[in-house]
Amino acid sequence: MTCGVLEGRAGSGTYVAEPRQRVRVVRSSAREQPEGSPFRADMKAVGKHGGWESRTDAKVPAPAEIAARLGIAEGELCIRTSYEFLADGRPVQLSTGWEPYDLTSGTLVVLPGGGPHAGAGVVNRMAVIGITVSHAVEQPEPRQATAEEASLLGIQKAALVTHIRRTYYSDQGRPVETADIVVPAAHCEIVYEIPINR
């Protein structure tokens, strides 16, 4: 069921789930904070403690789709970071981000989850190395969760999720990071805030 009444646990079975209030996830240019994590700021705004667990793999060859999104050749080296985002200790979002290795190699921001700028977000980390991120493009689409996603998010296999393909661009038009974000419909509502320039 996608309404969250039942909860599957990998290798254990299906259990009656504790009711969960849906968390509002705001997609907005205003979410980029000058200090700290955009996700933590989002969660604080809705009265939750935001955190995450992450794993970074260095020098991963870019698969064809990721290479196309980053404007690099297939097989070029990237930094890949997988995140499990938590609200009050419970998973609410998954994300796998890719950055071209040649962009950040040899700098203090080469590892998104390590060093003095760990967890600062793409915009702030790129600013440290003199790259101005001017905009992001997001492509959301609904689909069913994979078995791995369902297990990580504590939802049933094939439950509805929103898959967002996001790419950040520098003011020179170069893609500097691309990510696949997975948000479970049963646990989150996605709200887009669109600034109006007058």
Side-chain angles (χ1 to χ4, degrees), residues 85-86 93 111 114 142 162 197:
F85 289 97
L86 311 168
Q93 180 177 302
L111 300 176
T162 301
N197 294 322

Side-chain angles (χ1 to χ4, degrees), residues 33-185:
Q33 304 294 314
E35 297 284 334
S37 155
F39 179 76
R40 279 204 176 114
D42 282 353
M43 292 302 101
K44 185 176 181 181
V46 294
K48 305 272 185 191
H49 172 73
W52 62 86
E53 295 175 4
S54 67
R55 174 186 163 176
T56 297
D57 298 300
K59 299 183 179 180
V60 178
E65 182 195 351
I66 297 300
R69 285 159 53 180
L70 288 173
I72 60 177
E74 182 177 354
E76 277 194 44
L77 299 181
C78 290
I79 301 296
R80 179 184 64 203
T81 306
S82 300
Y83 298 90
E84 184 177 349
F85 289 97
L86 311 168
D88 291 341
R90 300 181 81 169
V92 292
Q93 180 177 302
L94 303 174
S95 178
T96 302
W98 298 76
E99 296 177 1
Y101 179 67
D102 73 339
L103 195 66
T104 59
S105 65
T107 72
L108 291 174
V109 300
V110 67
L111 300 176
H117 305 285
V122 174
V123 174
N124 294 324
R125 286 179 45 256
M126 292 297 159
V128 170
I129 59 173
I131 295 172
T132 301
V133 174
S134 63
H135 68 286
V137 173
E138 294 194 346
Q139 177 186 346
E141 63 183 42
R143 65 168 172 79
Q144 294 179 316
T146 65
E148 181 183 7
E149 291 165 349
S151 177
L152 289 169
L153 290 166
I155 58 177
Q156 286 202 322
K157 192 167 36 171
L160 290 177
V161 296
T162 301
H163 177 189
I164 303 171
R165 290 177 182 87
R166 180 201 64 212
T167 304
Y168 280 113
Y169 292 86
S170 76
D171 58 357
Q172 304 298 308
R174 178 180 179 173
V176 298
E177 190 257 14
T178 194
D180 289 285
I181 302 163
V182 178
V183 182

